[in-house]
Amino acid sequence: MSIEFRFANDRDLDTIVEIESSSMSCPWSRDSYKEAMDSDHAFIMVATESDSCVGFAVFYLTVPESELPDIVVAESHRGKGIGKALLDASLRELTSRGVDTVFLEVRVSNERAKALYEKVGFEEIGRRKYFYSDPVEDAICMRLEMN
Ligand SMILES: CC(C)(COP(=O)(O)OP(=O)(O)OC[C@H]1O[C@@H](n2cnc3c(N)ncnc32)[C@H](O)[C@@H]1OP(=O)(O)O)[C@@H](O)C(=O)NCCC(=O)NCCS
């Protein structure tokens, strides 16, 4: 089955919330996704299989900078290159909007996400003590320069 990429719409909301809540200890609310979807200063890119969402990434825009606060691939679909392809599609979109730098935070223990970010070129620029709750954990701050 082939994976495609497009912007999220209202019909994706239930699935996005379901994927998020089954993956993250402090899940985002439905309203937060709806707000990002409707904002001129954010977008949500979704990976789809038969037009059904199997992963998503949220970006906030303050051109020429952007922030990636949330990316999740459904557990059943992990380890198949979807996270990497979702980021690649999103970074192309960001470039077309004039973004040249992307920032994110990741839990120090999240080896899988760190490996993915490093693979597309993110580098560690610092750490934030006790940044996360449930469980409390430090964050690694990363930056990607796209030029
Ligand atoms: C992080 C996440 C989005 C990655 O998505 P994915 O579709 O599984 O990732 P991919 O299959 O594209 O893998 C990309 C790279 O990640 C790394 N990776 C993938 N699975 C891994 C694993 N089990 N262990 C360690 N690294 C792994 C590899 O470097 C891989 O590249 P490679 O396959 O060429 O070696 C996904 O694991 C996820 O949704 N995790 C839960 C939510 C989360 O932690 N989000 C990030 C919050 S900051």
Side-chain angles (χ1 to χ4, degrees), residues 41-131:
H41 305 286
F43 66 79
I44 304 178
M45 186 68 76
V46 291
T48 63
E49 190 178 62
S50 305
D51 206 38
S52 175
C53 174
V54 295
F56 62 90
V58 181
F59 291 86
Y60 291 141
L61 303 169
T62 44
V63 178
E65 295 182 352
S66 175
E67 189 192 339
L68 168 55
D70 194 20
I71 175 169
V72 189
V73 170
E75 201 166 354
S76 53
H77 285 69
R78 288 182 198 157
K80 298 176 179 172
I82 296 175
K84 166 81 167 49
L86 177 61
L87 269 186
D88 287 342
S90 303
L91 295 176
R92 282 195 295 277
E93 176 63 25
L94 289 170
T95 302
S96 78
R97 295 188 188 206
V99 169
D100 58 24
T101 310
V102 186
F103 296 93
L104 61 80
E105 280 96 23
V106 58
R107 283 181 182 269
V108 292
S109 66
N110 196 341
E111 296 296 338
R112 198 167 185 162
K114 265 191 291 175
L116 167 61
Y117 299 145
E118 283 165 1
K119 188 150 248 176
V120 299
F122 279 90
E123 291 177 343
E124 177 171 343
I125 53 167
R127 295 200 176 205
R128 287 189 179 160
K129 277 276 181 211
Y130 317 124
F131 184 76

Side-chain angles (χ1 to χ4, degrees), residues 6-14 16 37 44 46 51:
R6 59 166 171 75
F7 295 118
N9 60 47
D10 285 354
R11 290 190 309 280
D12 299 310
L13 266 175
D14 287 346
I16 287 174
M37 213 176 270
I44 304 178
V46 291
D51 206 38

